[in-house]
Amino acid sequence: MMKIIILWTLFFNLRVLGQEDIDALALASLLLKNNNLDKAQSVLRRIKDPQDVQTDRYYLLLGMMAVKQKRFKQAITQLMKAKKSGLQDKDRVEFYETLLRAYIGYRDYAKAHQLIDVNKKLLSQRALFFQLKANLEFKENEHEKAWSTLHQGITLFPRYFPLKKQKWFYLLDHNLLWQSKEYLFSIVSDAPFTPLELAQIAFKYKEKKDLKTAAVLGEMAFKRAPSHEEIAKELARIYLSLDQSLAAAEVFTTLAQFHPKYYGEASQLWRKAGFKDKAWQLITLIPQEDKRLKQKLTLALQNKSYHKMAALGTLIDRSQLKRDEQVQYTLAYANFMIGKFKKSESYLQQITKSDLLKKSLALRETIQECERKEWLCL
């Protein structure tokens, strides 16, 4: 809430005071910290001459933006301009952290090490230094040094969560599956994971074929955000991979309470789990008429409820489904099964698609045979 108030105040000042330079830089800095890169770029573009503002800060912000955009070569160029303009003491740590990010991203590891050697005393006062240094060491396959750096950083800054997250990631990335799970569950209750991050972590364990761990993490994510469509879908996929159709059905039923369009999927999963009455109940909640009728027809077919299927034909004839030739063939089959041959013929006459014509001709021949020899079709 406080960030929103600050942003509003800065935007207001820009409008009223004619884009005062200090406000422009402060606003761009805040926007960058919140990853609003397009807006930050727009604010910085309003500055026509860098000499009219705090020049070193201006180029530093351009460098920070380029790093976030993964334009590392351009970032280094802008940061060198900031240094040439004369850095203020309050910006030095942020400058060297950003430049270190740029060197690592640009894969200029020699300059990254040189920067660390010269500025280690200054940089090591902040937790981010250990995160960047460990990242550099892992990229160079200096694993023992990287683990040591991570442990040192976590010891010095136990409340800085990105270091713990980085440790977990490297454990998993090096296929230390058991150790990664043990460490993750030791921090997850207090960790500021967003629901989407938890779902993404669950997916990583799914990729490693550890479906049970993926399910536990997916459940945690879904519990925190039951209306999130992608989180729910991924959890349902994990359950289906575990042959837990009922659990997947419950997930989609909960999701459908927020997004009714998913009642169709929920109904299908309840049917798959063997709960036909529940499946039929949920079908009635599907908001789209065509989808609702088609689901009813499918469920009735699977239950071999041919009379119910034939009755649905009246409603289907008044809907867009009357143009669906697969539906027309299904209705023809249902009417044939209850002895309504003329009605079946009327549906067959509407079929023109080649893939259905062969089946239609076979059904028509069977109808004709039944009409000639009624005792065959009793």
Side-chain angles (χ1 to χ4, degrees):
M1 184 65 183
M2 182 60 67
K3 287 181 179 179
I4 295 173
I5 294 172
I6 294 171
L7 281 170
W8 172 254
T9 303
L10 288 169
F11 272 124
F12 179 78
N13 287 340
L14 281 175
R15 292 170 64 89
V16 173
L17 300 177
Q19 301 179 2
E20 287 189 5
D21 300 329
I22 188 169
D23 285 334
L25 294 179
L27 176 56
S29 177
L30 187 57
L31 289 168
L32 282 173
K33 287 178 181 178
N34 286 281
N35 288 317
N36 291 320
L37 304 188
D38 290 341
K39 290 182 179 179
Q41 192 169 40
S42 177
V43 170
L44 290 173
R45 280 176 176 170
R46 296 174 190 169
I47 299 172
K48 303 302 182 184
D49 186 350
Q51 300 302 320
D52 293 337
V53 297
Q54 183 186 329
T55 310
D56 63 311
R57 183 69 181 169
Y58 170 76
Y59 286 120
L60 173 56
L61 292 175
L62 287 177
M64 291 169 62
M65 186 184 326
V67 167
K68 286 178 177 287
Q69 294 171 332
K70 300 187 185 302
R71 296 185 295 110
F72 300 113
K73 184 176 181 180
Q74 294 90 328
I76 293 168
T77 300
Q78 298 296 345
L79 291 167
M80 290 300 101
K81 290 180 181 179
K83 186 176 182 179
K84 188 176 180 180
S85 299
L87 288 171
Q88 295 191 9
D89 288 341
K90 66 182 180 65
D91 290 330
R92 287 187 180 278
V93 174
E94 193 169 36
F95 167 80
Y96 286 120
E97 286 175 345
T98 306
L99 184 57
L100 182 55
R101 283 181 185 271
Y103 282 145
I104 295 173
Y106 194 55
R107 299 183 181 180
D108 192 340
Y109 300 150
K111 286 188 177 178
H113 279 293
Q114 185 180 0
L115 187 153
I116 289 173
D117 292 340
V118 174
N119 300 282
K120 185 175 182 179
K121 185 176 180 180
L122 176 67
L123 291 173
S124 61
Q125 297 174 19
R126 303 217 314 187
L128 180 60
F129 165 72
F130 295 92
Q131 185 181 353
L132 295 174
K133 185 171 181 288
N135 185 28
L136 172 62
E137 289 163 343
F138 272 115
K139 285 181 180 295
E140 294 183 303
N141 293 318
E142 297 282 354
H143 296 153
E144 289 187 13
K145 288 184 179 179
W147 289 118
S148 176
T149 298
L150 276 179
H151 288 308
Q152 185 182 2
I154 291 170
T155 301
L156 291 172
F157 301 95
R159 295 186 179 181
Y160 185 70
F161 176 67
L163 278 171
K164 296 178 180 180
K165 185 177 179 182
Q166 187 177 18
K167 178 181 176 179
W168 163 80
F169 175 80
Y170 287 135
L171 286 169
L172 185 65
D173 192 51
H174 287 77
N175 291 314
L176 299 170
L177 194 62
W178 185 85
Q179 293 91 331
S180 75
K181 288 191 294 183
E182 184 180 46
Y183 185 68
L184 177 64
F185 286 115
S186 74
I187 65 172
V188 72
S189 59
D190 298 322
F193 283 121
T194 66
L196 189 57
E197 284 176 328
L198 281 172
Q200 291 167 342
I201 292 171
F203 182 74
K204 288 185 179 297
Y205 281 102
K206 180 184 174 185
E207 288 184 319
K208 299 285 185 180
K209 309 299 182 185
D210 187 348
L211 296 176
K212 291 184 178 179
T213 301
V216 171
L217 293 164
E219 288 163 3
M220 293 174 64
F222 184 61
K223 186 176 180 180
R224 296 184 188 184
S227 65
H228 196 293
E229 297 175 62
E230 292 308 313
I231 289 175
K233 290 177 185 178
E234 183 55 34
L235 178 57
R237 283 191 285 266
I238 292 170
Y239 280 142
L240 290 173
S241 297
L242 288 166
D243 293 324
Q244 296 181 11
S245 299
L246 180 58
E250 290 173 339
V251 168
F252 264 99
T253 303
T254 300
L255 181 63
Q257 293 172 11
F258 299 96
H259 308 284
K261 64 182 179 179
Y262 290 111
Y263 275 118
E265 286 79 358
S267 174
Q268 291 176 2
L269 287 167
W270 280 103
R271 184 178 71 236
K272 180 179 177 67
F275 293 83
K276 295 177 182 178
D277 290 341
K278 180 70 172 180
W280 189 267
Q281 175 191 347
L282 292 178
I283 285 176
T284 63
L285 300 177
I286 298 173
Q288 306 96 328
E289 183 187 25
D290 290 353
K291 189 174 181 180
R292 183 170 63 248
L293 288 171
K294 197 167 187 177
Q295 288 264 35
K296 285 184 176 182
L297 188 66
T298 301
L299 184 57
L301 175 62
Q302 292 185 338
N303 293 338
K304 298 183 179 180
S305 302
Y306 301 118
H307 285 280
K308 186 178 287 187
M309 293 171 66
L312 285 170
T314 304
L315 296 173
I316 290 172
D317 290 343
R318 297 198 296 265
S319 74
Q320 296 296 319
L321 287 178
K322 65 183 180 182
R323 298 190 181 93
D324 187 324
E325 293 192 9
Q326 181 62 58
V327 170
Q328 297 300 307
Y329 176 78
T330 303
L331 289 172
Y333 180 78
N335 279 277
F336 162 74
M337 291 299 291
I338 61 175
K340 293 186 177 181
F341 299 147
K342 289 185 178 179
K343 188 65 175 176
S344 180
E345 284 277 8
S346 69
Y347 285 119
L348 291 175
Q349 289 172 5
Q350 300 178 51
I351 293 173
T352 59
K353 289 185 177 180
S354 58
D355 59 326
L356 290 173
L357 275 175
K358 187 175 180 179
K359 294 167 68 176
S360 300
L361 289 171
L363 182 56
R364 184 174 282 112
E365 289 174 359
T366 304
I367 290 172
Q368 292 170 355
E369 188 69 14
C370 288
E371 288 176 334
R372 288 196 301 270
K373 302 174 183 179
E374 293 186 10
W375 58 272
L376 287 175
C377 303
L378 292 176

